[in-house]
Amino acid sequence: MRPVRVVVYGAGTMGLLATRMLKEKGAQIVGAIARSDAKKGVDLGTLAGVDKLGVLVDTDAERVLGSVRPDVVMLATQSFIPEIYDQLAMCIRSGANVLTLAEETFFPWNTSPTLTAQLDRLARIHGVTVTGGGHQDSFWIHQVGALMGASHRIDSVKGFATWNADDYGPDVIATKHVGETLEAFEHAVGQGDAPPTYGRNVLGALAQASSLTPVGWEATVRPVIVDQDRTSRSLGRTLSAGTVIGYSDVDTMRTAEGPVFTFEMAGYVYGAGESDTNEWNVYGEPDLYLGNGVVPSYTTTCTQWVNRVPDVINARPGVVTIDEMPPLSYRALPLHRYVDGGKLS
Ligand SMILES: NC(=O)c1ccc[n+]([C@@H]2O[C@H](COP(=O)([O-])OP(=O)(O)OC[C@H]3O[C@@H](n4cnc5c(N)ncnc54)[C@H](OP(=O)(O)O)[C@@H]3O)[C@@H](O)[C@H]2O)c1
């Protein structure tokens, strides 16, 4: 069987880390797409800090997708369905499966139902799969689902996670309102057209995974304000005391069957000694606890993204969310060795 052919769409922080992992897992990278002229024509391997791959970054996505016929596009550009709709549609029309890090795609049926249904229809027509993955996959769905499966009765589920916004690219920093004054932050989040919280998409997937019916949602947003000057590596400047360095979303989901879910997710620029966390409590009979200690989310985003590649090629056509996929498996062999026979002809 031949190697999996991959296009890296979004040669940024995540796309470049995944480039090394994809190569090490035997994938054949056949194209790379970015937005800026600064990256155009540069070898993807050079950008990723590995040996040259002979793949030059292009800014014309249509040209790349039309010429190299990938099995999978690894899409890591932006977070929300409305902003990546055209990118997804272009990938689908080119006949490629898409595995994206866009947080809303993790479970988009509640937050962008019309656009998701359109993508689902288009993907079925073209016989390809669209899936959103990344850090959420194991840490916020499959591990939590397994814990819930060990319960006799669940009254509530509470999750708490933090991640360092400074680990990611400038677009991510901007969506976290890093560096804004409190007034600017409150004005922005008070506009009423804020995109969905990542937590809402996670809770939607958890409900789906356990056949629960969401009947009510609440969300609150709390700014994280720094009390001493703090340097942002990603922004390359100091954030002065009193500035917003990120925020915390608290999402609550009520279900018709009874269990109430709360997930607090804080993304902000860390200070010295802070690390990512992931803790979940399931209250009922019995009370259960899951804690992952220090979580290297920056790395585990890409390890999970890459390990999911065979599942996306094997999955049925359409929008297939992670709750429909098996728990992640370790991939000791090249990725194509896990692809069903006939899928890579
Ligand atoms: N699900 C998860 O677990 C998870 C974890 C981490 C990040 N993410 C998400 O993944 C996305 C990427 O994160 P990152 O840290 O890699 O961001 P980043 O460093 O800013 O990289 C984004 C890349 O996408 C390219 N890009 C942006 N808009 C584009 C467009 N319209 N057309 C073509 N290329 C475009 C950029 O090109 P240029 O470099 O040329 O500007 C850049 O290469 C973000 O939405 C982030 O929120 C998800």
Side-chain angles (χ1 to χ4, degrees):
M1 201 187 284
R2 64 169 174 80
V4 176
R5 292 167 62 84
V6 176
V7 162
V8 174
Y9 193 157
T13 313
M14 294 292 99
L16 294 177
L17 176 57
T19 293
R20 173 179 64 79
M21 294 179 179
L22 286 162
K23 278 306 292 175
E24 289 170 356
K25 295 266 156 140
Q28 184 184 2
I29 300 179
V30 293
I33 302 163
R35 175 181 48 187
S36 61
D37 285 340
K39 289 183 181 169
K40 188 175 174 181
V42 182
D43 190 280
L44 181 69
T46 305
L47 286 176
V50 297
D51 290 344
K52 280 193 178 177
L53 300 173
V55 175
L56 303 184
V57 174
D58 200 338
T59 50
D60 185 337
E62 200 142 23
R63 177 168 57 205
V64 173
L65 294 169
S67 61
V68 298
R69 303 197 60 77
D71 301 303
V72 182
V73 175
M74 304 293 278
L75 177 68
T77 53
Q78 290 147 292
S79 298
F80 303 104
I81 297 264
E83 57 193 10
I84 60 163
Y85 183 88
D86 291 344
Q87 298 165 28
L88 288 169
M90 197 192 308
C91 296
I92 294 169
R93 287 197 184 95
S94 79
N97 300 290
V98 189
L99 181 50
T100 174
L101 289 182
E103 288 86 347
E104 189 183 1
T105 59
F106 196 66
F107 192 80
W109 291 103
N110 296 324
T111 49
S112 288
T114 307
L115 293 180
T116 303
Q118 283 171 212
L119 289 169
D120 184 49
R121 213 164 23 247
L122 195 62
R124 286 170 193 263
I125 289 169
H126 288 271
V128 297
T129 306
V130 176
T131 296
H135 183 68
Q136 300 93 320
D137 195 326
S138 172
F139 287 89
W140 296 346
I141 292 295
H142 283 292
Q143 290 190 43
V144 183
L147 196 67
M148 290 172 62
S151 303
H152 175 62
R153 186 196 77 253
I154 297 179
D155 302 322
S156 62
V157 178
K158 291 192 176 164
F160 176 72
T162 61
W163 54 276
N164 186 0
D166 222 18
D167 281 345
Y168 304 95
D171 290 2
V172 176
I173 285 272
T175 64
K176 295 310 288 179
H177 300 277
V178 173
E180 291 183 1
T181 62
L182 181 57
E183 292 70 28
F185 173 84
E186 285 174 343
H187 177 74
V189 300
Q191 289 301 296
D193 58 354
T197 59
Y198 304 163
R200 177 162 175 167
N201 299 113
V202 168
L203 293 185
L206 273 176
Q208 189 73 14
S210 1
S211 301
L212 294 168
T213 319
V215 290
W217 302 89
E218 286 154 37
T220 55
V221 182
R222 282 199 297 264
V224 181
I225 295 173
V226 70
D227 56 4
Q228 289 181 359
D229 288 2
R230 181 173 292 190
T231 303
S232 162
R233 265 182 291 115
S234 183
L235 285 178
R237 67 181 170 90
T238 300
L239 304 161
S240 45
T243 348
V244 173
I245 53 167
Y247 61 84
S248 180
D249 286 313
V250 186
D251 285 275
T252 300
M253 174 182 75
R254 292 171 203 290
T255 63
E257 295 79 6
V260 177
F261 291 69
T262 309
F263 183 33
E264 175 165 3
M265 196 195 62
Y268 60 94
V269 174
Y270 284 177
E274 288 186 272
S275 52
D276 294 2
T277 54
N278 187 49
E279 296 190 19
W280 291 80
N281 283 285
V282 175
Y283 296 107
E285 183 185 348
D287 290 345
L288 296 168
Y289 170 77
L290 161 75
N292 293 116
V294 172
V295 183
S297 321
Y298 171 83
T299 308
T300 54
T301 293
C302 289
T303 53
Q304 295 175 85
W305 194 27
V306 169
N307 285 339
R308 260 302 167 212
V309 166
D311 296 326
V312 171
I313 298 173
N314 291 338
R316 66 163 176 81
V319 172
V320 178
T321 47
I322 288 292
D323 50 278
E324 291 183 59
M325 298 269 185
L328 275 168
S329 295
Y330 173 56
R331 310 297 188 184
L333 303 173
L335 294 175
H336 64 268
R337 299 281 295 273
Y338 303 93
V339 175
D340 294 343
K343 291 267 188 183
L344 294 178
S345 49

